[in-house]
Amino acid sequence: MKSVLISGGGIAGLALALSLSRRGFAPTVVERADGLRGGGQAVDVRGVALKVVDRLGMLEEIRAHRTRMRGMSVLDGDGREIHRSTESTFSSGRLDSGDIELLREDLVRVLHDRAAAEGVELVFGDTVTALDRAEDEAGTLIRFERAEPRRFDLAVGADGLHSTVRRLAFGPEERFTRHLGMHLAIFSANNFLALEDWQLWLREGEAGYGVYPVRGNSELRIGFGFAGEPLPAGRRGPEAQKALVAERMTALRWETPRLLKALAEAPDFYCDSMAQIHLDRWSRGRVTLLGDAGYCASPLSGQGTSLALVGAYVLADALTGSGGEHRAAYAEYERRLRPFVRLNQALATDNPGGPASEESVERAKNAIALDG
């Protein structure tokens, strides 16, 4: 039985662990956070990714968590409605689509609970610090911040845009990052706007926000977006980031003061640059990369979750087909997945002014066959 260390307990890492466990591998997931991360935006499971969750036996459970939006309003800087739609929203696309929008935390919880129930080893509050002898025929020795070193047959970095595994195996992050000129901040608040299954989007100049209710209209998810260069090193802590976001949003009018008050009080604030990751190869020795760690498309693509789910399935399938022989498996993983990644990354870079066209999304989300 091949042992696999998976760094990252998000969507990509948990989906891979579940897929590998069912195929006779022994995965161990190590997550830096002390538990499952709450908060975050609504994400989309689209196209081929729906087939992945169906094969994992989770499709109906995922559907039960879907958002229930009736439509959206687009507002000018003073909060006046300039457009409304009951057919689609910016976050999910067409409301009559078979695709599923749900909160990221709900999808992670479903994956986690399935993996735990099936005996996957899940380790929280730790992180990888070194990958020793990644080319060794006897496996790679993984060193951790807290736990004792352990040897694994394979190692997978599923630890996001700022992947530690990628840095250890391939080098500094800046070699592979393409900044897209935007930043996104996400946080939750009580539904002080009394929204009922309805989204609001406001933009003026190079800043704007989207607001939508969740949890039976009891909470809001608020997303602030603004243009700018990558965040300076000295402004990457939560409080410094909150101050920077407030600076960039304060010129907006309408409900902005109340939204900024909610930002200051938010317990689950997240902020990062919108960026993509591009590498010539996703593997080195016994180590490979999955999801945002290897080929982040950015939230601007709307396809990060689908890339994580499909990537996990294809990697597990390739490892099974090769009998666990990593060289052949990693080559097959890249051969099958790279065209799919390219099309989905292009949804962000080819449409800098707004959401991609329905035709582009339809083509990209279905641009791979799960069965070879």
Side-chain angles (χ1 to χ4, degrees):
M1 182 181 289
K2 294 279 187 179
S3 60
V4 185
L5 184 283
I6 302 170
S7 176
I11 294 168
L14 291 170
L16 178 63
L18 191 56
S19 296
L20 288 176
S21 178
R22 293 179 177 182
R23 294 165 183 260
F25 291 80
T28 296
V29 177
V30 175
E31 164 59 42
R32 179 189 295 273
D34 290 332
L36 297 181
R37 298 175 187 266
Q41 72 273 33
V43 298
D44 297 289
V45 182
R46 294 172 166 159
V48 178
L50 290 168
K51 296 180 181 179
V52 172
V53 296
D54 190 25
R55 293 187 181 189
L56 291 174
M58 303 187 310
L59 183 56
E60 292 311 311
E61 190 173 2
I62 295 299
R63 281 201 178 112
H65 287 285
R66 73 186 308 166
T67 59
R68 304 289 178 182
M69 296 298 153
R70 297 180 292 112
M72 69 172 183
S73 296
V74 180
L75 312 177
D76 68 11
D78 292 308
R80 293 185 294 258
E81 185 177 80
I82 56 178
H83 172 74
R84 74 164 34 212
S85 174
T86 56
E87 296 180 350
S88 65
T89 67
F90 289 155
S91 67
S92 67
R94 292 193 60 86
L95 297 177
D96 61 0
S97 167
D99 299 338
I100 299 173
E101 181 187 65
L102 73 164
L103 292 178
R104 178 194 178 277
E105 64 193 78
D106 288 343
L107 178 54
V108 170
R109 171 62 66 181
V110 171
L111 287 164
H112 168 273
D113 290 353
R114 291 294 181 100
E118 297 188 21
V120 172
E121 183 182 10
L122 303 166
V123 180
F124 289 95
D126 209 347
T127 188
V128 175
T129 59
L131 305 166
D132 291 349
R133 298 188 291 278
E135 307 281 351
D136 197 319
E137 288 302 316
T140 181
L141 185 67
I142 311 292
R143 299 187 185 277
F144 302 96
E145 188 172 81
R146 296 173 63 182
E148 291 299 311
R150 290 172 60 182
R151 188 176 297 279
F152 291 86
D153 294 308
L154 305 172
V156 179
D159 44 352
L161 175 64
H162 305 297
S163 169
T164 295
V165 170
R166 186 185 62 234
R167 175 177 55 79
L168 293 172
F170 294 88
E173 180 176 307
E174 54 267 24
R175 293 184 188 174
F176 316 111
T177 303
R178 297 184 189 177
H179 183 58
L180 300 183
M182 292 290 295
H183 303 274
L184 177 67
I186 300 284
F187 57 98
S188 62
N190 292 329
N191 187 2
F192 57 83
L193 296 178
L195 294 178
E196 294 186 7
D197 302 326
W198 194 264
Q199 297 186 358
L200 299 177
W201 297 86
L202 180 148
R203 181 172 179 176
E204 188 169 63
E206 294 187 330
Y209 45 78
V211 184
Y212 49 89
V214 299
R215 304 289 181 226
N217 297 311
S218 65
E219 297 180 18
L220 297 176
R221 286 292 190 272
I222 302 166
F224 284 160
F226 56 93
E229 294 303 308
L231 296 175
R235 304 204 70 168
R236 291 180 183 167
E239 294 309 313
Q241 287 182 337
K242 283 185 178 182
L244 175 63
V245 172
E247 286 174 13
R248 298 305 304 268
M249 308 304 294
T250 192
L252 298 178
R253 299 177 300 282
W254 190 56
E255 292 282 2
T256 302
R258 294 173 75 190
L259 294 172
L260 290 177
K261 183 175 183 295
L263 165 70
E265 299 169 352
D268 57 359
F269 169 80
Y270 165 85
C271 180
D272 210 340
S273 301
M274 295 297 94
Q276 292 189 342
I277 296 297
H278 294 263
L279 291 94
D280 293 334
R281 292 184 61 191
W282 299 334
S283 62
R284 177 163 293 173
R286 293 178 176 271
V287 180
T288 196
L289 302 174
L290 172 66
D292 283 356
Y295 36 86
C296 179
S298 88
L300 298 177
S301 73
Q303 280 291 91
T305 296
S306 292
L307 281 173
L309 290 167
V310 174
Y313 185 92
V314 171
L315 177 55
D317 196 49
L319 284 166
T320 304
S322 72
E325 203 293 305
H326 62 279
R327 297 176 186 85
Y330 292 167
E332 178 67 359
Y333 165 55
E334 293 204 29
R335 183 191 70 79
R336 289 172 59 187
L337 199 65
R338 272 192 180 275
F340 184 64
V341 168
R342 282 195 293 269
L343 275 175
N344 283 283
Q345 286 185 324
L347 293 176
T349 57
D350 291 355
N351 304 278
S357 68
E358 287 185 27
E359 294 88 348
S360 296
V361 173
E362 194 70 23
R363 181 171 63 252
K365 73 183 186 182
N366 291 302
I368 190 172
L370 291 184
D371 298 316

